[in-house]
Amino acid sequence: MSSEPIGQPPKDLEGVSAQENSLIFRSFTSDTAFALGMHIRNRLHIIAPKPAVVNITLANSNQLLFHACSKPGTGPDNDVWVARKRRTVLRWGCSSYVMHKKFEGNEQLFADKFALGPQAGDYAIHGGGVPVRVEGVEGVVAVVVVSGLAQEEDASTRQNAEQQLTHAAEVDFSGYLTTLAHELANEQAQPHIRTAAGIALKNAFSSREYTRLREVQERWINQIDTNVKKSVKDLALQTLGSRDGRAGQSAGQFVASIAAIEIPRNEWPELMAALVENVGQGGEHLKQASLTTIGYICETDDAQLRESLAGYSNQILTAVVQGARKEEENMEVRNAAITALSDCLDFIRSNFDNEGERNYIMQVVCEATQSGDVRIEAGAYGCLNRIMGLYYDKMSFYMEKALYGLTIIGMKNEEEDVGKLAVEFWCTVCEEEIAIEDDNQMAHSEGSFEMRQYYHFAKTAAVEVVPALMQLMTRQDEDAADEDYNVSRAAYQCLQLFAQAVGSDIVPSVLAFVEANLADPDWHKRDAAVSAFGAIMEGPKEVQLEPLVKQALPLLIEKLRDDAVQVRDSAAYAIGRISDLLPEAIDPQTELPALIEALFGGLSSNPKMAGSCCWALMNLADKFAGEPGCQRNALSPHFQGSVTALLQVTEKSDVDNQLRMAAYEVLNTFITNAANDCLPIVAKLSDVIIERLENTIPMQHQVVSVEDRITLEEIQTSLTSGVLAIIQRLEGEIKPQADRIMHILLQMLSSVGPKSSVPDAIFAAMGGLANALEEDFVKYMDSFVPFLYNALGNQDEPALCSMAIGLVSDITRSLSEKSQPYCDSFMNYLLNNLRSTSLSNQFKPAILQCFGDIAQAIGPYFETYLSVVATVLQQAANVNAGSDAYDLYDYVTSLREGIMDAWSGIILAMKQGKAQLLTPYVESIFQLLSIVAQDHHRSEPLARSAMGVIGDLADAFPHGDYVNYYRNEWIQQLIKETRQNREFSARTIETARWAREQVKRQTANFQGVQMS
């Protein structure tokens, strides 16, 4: 740890800002916060004469990640200063020292500038509060605050700490690792120093980004001497036995990060044996840390490591079962063992296939559910969940002998963590049985007799489990946030799954509960009754549910006015489920008007209901829209009133922003589903939405905080999405508004900041406008295309780049040949993106499809690009997923869809007098078609694209140049399988019929023609 004094920060505002902006993390987790906080704290302890507080919190939730004092002597006032500096950073998105420089320390000028009034004291413009930024993440991620130093020192401390950490790791990486490992193993070092060392070691070889992870792992493989590796690993293993539990845990994390590198390479074969020996013969601290380390190793998602760990299953299982037994008196050891057992269940299939070993494992886990320790009991139920998900086919004996009773007891446990996991066990049972039933039905429809074993566990247990679930639903916490997951919400989710797994058999017990509790004085019971009714809308037969829904709707509407907002919210959600799953039960004449009125009343009554009311209204709009383009639908009588109500909600200045966004989403859904008789209202609405969007432009200059900017961008995104909905519904009738729309969209593109989400919505709206105007959109191209080029080349913002690729397709399809002047640039950007290593493979199918759209748009002029694009398509066609690379299968399918779409567009383009230019590529096209024909799990889009290519190619060469290719039996079979697949859409089947006719003409008319 350096004892040099804290350096002075730059004296001018530009220098301070530049220094601040130069410090950006690759990632920032709680581990990073701890390492950074400890580094700052320890340096201050050495060099700063005064005590100081170091505080690190997340920006979006103020969650505390680190808080420590550098030495004794801090007081409560330090924490007040911490809060004031943090607020400054969060509101203005820069360090508190930058604000100090901006206003030259004049707090009155600062307060007057932002009209802070009495709230001025909530903010401090003194050095010490600094934003944390992360590569590729918009805005401030966390805030580091130091309080207690002179403000220049406050501002410099964090920057110096970061720079020293980076410098040490880059200049002498081996020495850096060796020093950290010795510090980690040093029993005389202070605990926080050891922990920080362990975290730094782990972070040196960890990353959430796959590419970055492979980079840091390569450093260990190629840059570290073998002796250094051994020394560092030995020190980490030695630390597992430390009486300092946090040091042992940090060592375990580091060991796991190195195991992920070396075990797949067979370079640390003795590791597992050493950990097993530690559990069998070590002291309590060594046992616990070794089991925790096994858990860290086994919780990996790395496919190579998972495959390698299967070879260590016996050793892993020996260790974790020994630690998890009821004979283990140390609860810390036992808890670590149960956690590790849960993590390793994927790798012990061979052990689970052995009845004796399986019985012993199940005995140990079941005994752990009764351990008396909440952590162990919760962990044991978690194990049972995973076992049921992985080994359902082997669970019949254990369900009958133990699990029915144990899980009922667990569900009734007063400890929430135990109860939730016992409930989730039955969620897993239902999910497995729903999946099995689906698989068996599909197998039966395909003529297969290979059916999965189905034990009807849920149906057997429903008589006891369902009443228990409904009782748990009465344990709501009125203060729970929407994102909180408690036992009541777990029970509701489980009841939904039981309804799907059991079907109509669940209805009587649920109705009995609803009738007994719907009018109860306790809102918890009323809420549970309403929720239970909504939960069973999917699963039971519709003929059984419809009369019940008709009977219940007036009661649900009444509950939308219940005294308790929780009941009102649940009623809205239940109506949403009915609207989504059983809309036939709602009479459009008598019940729909009352539902719409009641839901709008709920929407404006309380923000807590906004989400449920909006979702229900969107479902009603979708389900009662009628046929596309119909003159009138069930929404027509309510359209004007609904639009007016939504505009009133969204224009209130004091409305919660989440409610405003939800209301705009409902408005967009109503616009999308408007019947023709409501189009005049939509046309008038366009003036209102566009005007509101125009009014946001001056607001961009009034933004003074990160929160203000986020709110403004959310409003602009919602309004732009509204413009898109209007364009798509009015289609060509939007033309009178087109100039105004493009003007405001271009203004927004010119003024919006980097990393903003608004351009995504703008590009979508422009794509919609291009589709509506078709060739008339060309008048806007010269003004707009620079923004499009910038987005196509912006590989630092993949989402925006992806939108731009899609927009090129939209524009070229709309402009047809008029897009030709822009195609050179389009093609250059697309080819660069295709070659890029920074963009993921998921971009490639869309780029290939875009080639096809460009070709189809400009016709024979595509000859300029044909050879380059054809080479790219041939190379892409050689990509295969491999027999065991299941994670690549979807990508390869999408890639082939893109290739087929590209060839289809190119063939159509060259058919216009230049078909012979395709001759060098015909063989490779048929080779790809042959590969598609052999794939019996081909997707519908791939099958449809293949049919298009087969037909287009036959049509392009009407004189039978390639008739022998068309005589291949697999061509006929591919067309037949596509044409006869009843799960495919009418469009796909019609394309297959057309392809068949084209092939018939080839084979019938040119019997003797030889291949060219």
Side-chain angles (χ1 to χ4, degrees), residues 797-868:
E797 296 186 59
L800 183 61
C801 186
S802 176
M803 286 292 299
I805 293 167
L807 188 51
V808 170
S809 287
D810 290 338
I811 287 174
T812 52
R813 283 197 300 262
S814 300
L815 296 184
S816 297
E817 288 187 6
K818 290 184 178 180
S819 65
Q820 187 190 350
Y822 309 100
C823 285
D824 278 355
S825 296
F826 286 159
M827 291 298 297
N828 284 333
Y829 280 111
L830 291 171
L831 288 167
N832 284 337
N833 287 340
L834 205 58
R835 291 189 289 263
S836 170
T837 57
S838 60
L839 291 176
S840 75
N841 284 339
Q842 305 308 318
F843 280 71
K844 293 180 180 179
I847 293 173
L848 300 183
Q849 185 181 44
C850 196
F851 290 153
D853 291 329
I854 292 173
Q856 198 166 345
I858 64 176
Y861 297 108
F862 194 78
E863 177 186 353
T864 305
Y865 318 112
L866 177 59
S867 62
V868 173

Side-chain angles (χ1 to χ4, degrees), residues 41 43 266 296 393 395 488 613 645 716 732 739 751 815 851:
R41 183 264 172 205
R43 186 149 192 260
N266 296 317
Y296 288 148
D393 58 314
M395 287 295 104
S488 173
C613 289
Q716 289 180 324
D739 286 357
S751 57
L815 296 184
F851 290 153

Side-chain angles (χ1 to χ4, degrees), residues 139 203 237 240:
N203 288 345
L237 289 175
L240 294 179

Side-chain angles (χ1 to χ4, degrees), residues 719-940:
L719 289 168
T720 306
S721 299
V723 170
L724 173 60
I726 291 168
I727 292 169
Q728 290 174 331
R729 189 63 193 91
L730 293 180
E731 297 179 321
E733 299 301 314
I734 196 64
K735 191 171 182 179
Q737 294 276 35
D739 286 357
R740 189 179 174 194
I741 291 172
M742 281 302 296
H743 179 71
I744 183 62
L745 294 180
L746 289 171
Q747 265 191 296
M748 290 167 61
L749 280 177
S750 299
S751 57
V752 75
K755 308 290 185 182
S756 169
S757 60
V758 177
D760 291 6
I762 294 173
F763 278 15
M766 286 183 166
L769 194 61
N771 290 334
L773 300 180
E774 296 181 334
E775 292 187 355
D776 288 341
F777 187 79
V778 74
K779 64 187 283 191
Y780 306 114
M781 282 297 290
D782 288 342
S783 299
F784 166 58
V785 80
F787 296 104
L788 182 55
Y789 291 157
N790 286 338
L792 282 170
N794 189 351
Q795 297 183 6
D796 293 332
E797 296 186 59
L800 183 61
C801 186
S802 176
M803 286 292 299
I805 293 167
L807 188 51
V808 170
S809 287
D810 290 338
I811 287 174
T812 52
R813 283 197 300 262
S814 300
L815 296 184
S816 297
E817 288 187 6
K818 290 184 178 180
S819 65
Q820 187 190 350
Y822 309 100
C823 285
D824 278 355
S825 296
F826 286 159
M827 291 298 297
N828 284 333
Y829 280 111
L830 291 171
L831 288 167
N832 284 337
N833 287 340
L834 205 58
R835 291 189 289 263
S836 170
T837 57
S838 60
L839 291 176
S840 75
N841 284 339
Q842 305 308 318
F843 280 71
K844 293 180 180 179
I847 293 173
L848 300 183
Q849 185 181 44
C850 196
F851 290 153
D853 291 329
I854 292 173
Q856 198 166 345
I858 64 176
Y861 297 108
F862 194 78
E863 177 186 353
T864 305
Y865 318 112
L866 177 59
S867 62
V868 173
V869 172
T871 301
V872 167
L873 296 179
Q874 289 172 324
Q875 291 171 347
N878 293 325
V879 176
N880 289 295
S883 59
D884 57 348
Y886 301 110
D887 53 334
L888 285 177
Y889 181 79
D890 288 343
Y891 164 67
V892 171
T893 298
S894 297
L895 191 66
R896 289 172 181 168
E897 290 169 8
I899 298 169
M900 286 296 179
D901 287 338
W903 278 124
S904 182
I906 292 169
I907 293 166
L908 288 172
M910 295 298 104
K911 190 169 68 172
Q912 302 172 43
K914 298 195 174 184
Q916 291 306 316
L917 295 176
L918 296 171
T919 299
Y921 315 114
V922 170
E923 183 177 358
S924 64
I925 294 173
F926 276 97
Q927 285 174 351
L928 179 58
L929 287 168
S930 174
I931 293 171
V932 172
Q934 296 169 42
D935 179 6
H936 297 295
H937 299 287
R938 72 187 79 94
S939 67
E940 181 179 356

Side-chain angles (χ1 to χ4, degrees), residues 6 36 58 132 134 257 277 313 322 350 371 399 444 468 504 549 620 634-635 680-681 718 732 762 787 835 900:
I6 299 172
L36 176 61
L58 286 179
V132 170
V134 176
S257 69
E277 184 178 349
S313 63
Q322 183 170 344
S350 60
S371 69
M399 290 293 287
H444 180 74
S504 297
V549 169
L620 289 173
L635 296 174
I681 301 173
S718 294
I762 294 173
F787 296 104
R835 291 189 289 263
M900 286 296 179

Side-chain angles (χ1 to χ4, degrees), residues 352-391:
F352 228 82
D353 286 341
N354 182 296
E355 183 179 358
E357 293 185 41
R358 182 172 68 246
N359 287 343
Y360 189 50
I361 295 169
M362 292 300 296
Q363 177 186 335
V364 168
V365 176
C366 289
E367 288 172 349
T369 66
Q370 308 301 302
S371 69
D373 185 295
V374 172
R375 300 166 305 160
I376 295 171
E377 291 181 7
Y381 281 113
C383 275
L384 291 176
N385 291 349
R386 298 210 65 212
I387 289 170
M388 178 58 73
L390 291 166
Y391 305 109

Side-chain angles (χ1 to χ4, degrees), residues 43-268:
R43 186 149 192 260
L44 291 177
H45 182 77
I46 295 170
I47 65 172
K50 294 181 180 179
V53 169
V54 183
N55 178 282
I56 305 178
T57 55
L58 286 179
N60 60 355
S61 62
N62 282 339
Q63 178 186 347
L64 182 64
L65 299 181
F66 184 89
H67 188 94
C69 303
S70 63
K71 57 182 62 176
T74 59
D77 195 50
N78 287 110
D79 289 338
V80 174
W81 278 95
V82 165
R84 293 177 65 202
K85 293 177 183 181
R86 181 172 63 240
R87 292 190 194 102
T88 300
V89 174
L90 290 174
R91 178 160 179 176
W92 286 280
C94 62
S95 71
S96 54
Y97 194 52
V98 164
M99 296 303 289
H100 175 84
K101 285 293 184 182
K102 277 186 178 181
F103 293 94
E104 297 179 347
N106 189 327
E107 296 193 7
Q108 187 60 52
L109 181 64
F110 161 72
D112 292 344
K113 167 70 176 177
F114 299 110
L116 296 177
Q119 281 74 48
D122 292 344
Y123 304 95
I125 55 170
H126 296 262
V130 187
V132 170
R133 291 188 171 86
V134 176
E135 280 183 14
V137 178
E138 171 67 10
V140 176
V141 172
V143 181
V144 180
V145 182
V146 177
S147 173
L149 306 179
Q151 62 179 331
E152 291 83 0
E153 292 180 330
D154 275 351
S156 292
T157 299
R158 176 259 192 177
Q159 281 109 343
N160 289 341
E162 292 176 11
Q163 290 168 345
Q164 286 188 15
L165 278 172
T166 303
H167 180 77
E170 295 297 332
V171 173
D172 180 13
F173 192 48
S174 293
Y176 174 73
L177 296 179
T178 302
T179 300
L180 289 174
H182 279 287
E183 203 62 45
L184 174 64
N186 183 1
E187 293 291 342
Q188 276 67 53
Q190 295 183 44
H192 57 265
I193 299 291
R194 301 181 70 187
T195 303
I199 291 172
L201 280 168
K202 186 265 293 185
N203 288 345
F205 301 104
S206 305
S207 177
R208 294 183 181 181
E209 297 178 14
Y210 179 81
T211 303
R212 174 62 180 165
L213 177 62
R214 287 295 180 241
E215 287 177 4
V216 296
Q217 289 180 337
E218 285 297 322
R219 291 188 76 183
W220 175 265
I221 295 169
N222 298 320
Q223 297 182 21
I224 309 301
D225 178 77
T226 302
N227 292 329
V228 173
K229 288 181 182 178
K230 185 177 186 309
S231 172
V232 169
K233 291 189 296 186
D234 288 346
L235 287 167
L237 289 175
Q238 172 188 323
T239 308
L240 294 179
S242 173
R243 298 185 65 83
D244 180 352
R246 289 187 301 174
Q249 183 178 8
S250 298
Q253 291 175 322
F254 170 62
V255 168
S257 69
I258 300 304
I261 303 171
E262 296 202 339
I263 286 180
R265 299 167 61 88
N266 296 317
E267 290 180 353
W268 203 357

